[in-house]
Amino acid sequence: MNPPPAGITPSSGRRMRNIRLVLVGGGVLLMAWGALVMFDSVRPARIPGVALWIAAAIVLHDGIVAPIVLAGGIALRRAGRRITGTVVVIVQSGIVVGSIVSLIAVPTLVAKNFAPANPTVLPLNYGLNLGIFWVVLAAVTVGLSVWAFLRGRHPAETFPDDSGR
């Protein structure tokens, strides 16, 4: 058996294992509670639609959002050491926030096409609002990234020249 890495003591390994067990156990309990609430409050005929929505969310996350965030992080990292980790996190966070809001807005965009003629059911232009949201999100992300980049730059330190003494 290999010794633990530097800085890891056997007690911290046990503590981490216990923390993981608590987190996994809590997650399983929350999923069970969510399933119980769903089966109690959703009509049985609608459960396949809910399952389809959950499956689509998983596919969208694993097939589209996660690879885009990963590729963006890799591309920014390859830009060199000039870009700080803070800038990478800001850009990745912007992508994640935009993806989540889009995932929430898409069902409304689809429902607008199938909505009854009642204008009070879905009264807004959700496509336009989503586009405006993306423009504002991009502007905020770029602004924060530029601010973090400029803040992370340190001017070369100058020391008195001792060569003349």
Side-chain angles (χ1 to χ4, degrees):
M1 187 162 151
N2 295 333
I8 304 291
T9 62
S11 64
S12 67
R14 279 192 293 274
R15 191 175 85 208
M16 184 55 71
R17 188 190 72 215
N18 291 338
I19 290 171
R20 286 181 181 144
L21 286 173
V22 168
L23 290 173
V24 168
V28 169
L29 287 174
L30 285 172
M31 287 190 320
W33 180 64
L36 178 68
V37 169
M38 182 184 74
F39 286 115
D40 187 48
S41 62
V42 175
R43 290 179 298 165
R46 298 198 62 156
I47 289 178
V50 172
L52 177 66
W53 190 89
I54 291 171
I58 291 169
V59 168
L60 285 172
H61 176 270
D62 293 349
I64 296 173
V65 176
I68 289 173
V69 170
L70 178 66
I74 290 171
L76 288 172
R77 286 287 181 198
R78 291 197 179 203
R81 296 202 182 274
R82 297 173 303 216
I83 296 177
T84 64
T86 305
V87 173
V88 173
V89 169
I90 290 170
V91 171
Q92 288 177 329
S93 299
I95 293 170
V96 169
V97 168
S99 300
I100 290 170
V101 170
S102 295
L103 184 62
I104 292 169
V106 164
T108 307
L109 291 168
V110 171
K112 183 117 173 140
N113 292 332
F114 299 109
N118 185 350
T120 62
V121 173
L122 295 170
L124 302 175
N125 186 345
Y126 299 102
L128 176 65
N129 290 344
L130 184 61
I132 291 170
F133 168 79
W134 271 101
V135 168
V136 170
L137 179 65
V140 168
T141 302
V142 167
L144 285 173
S145 297
V146 168
W147 174 78
F149 177 74
L150 294 175
R151 189 166 183 249
R153 292 176 60 193
H154 298 291
E157 293 180 345
T158 56
F159 295 101
D161 187 16
D162 292 327
S163 60
R165 291 187 195 180

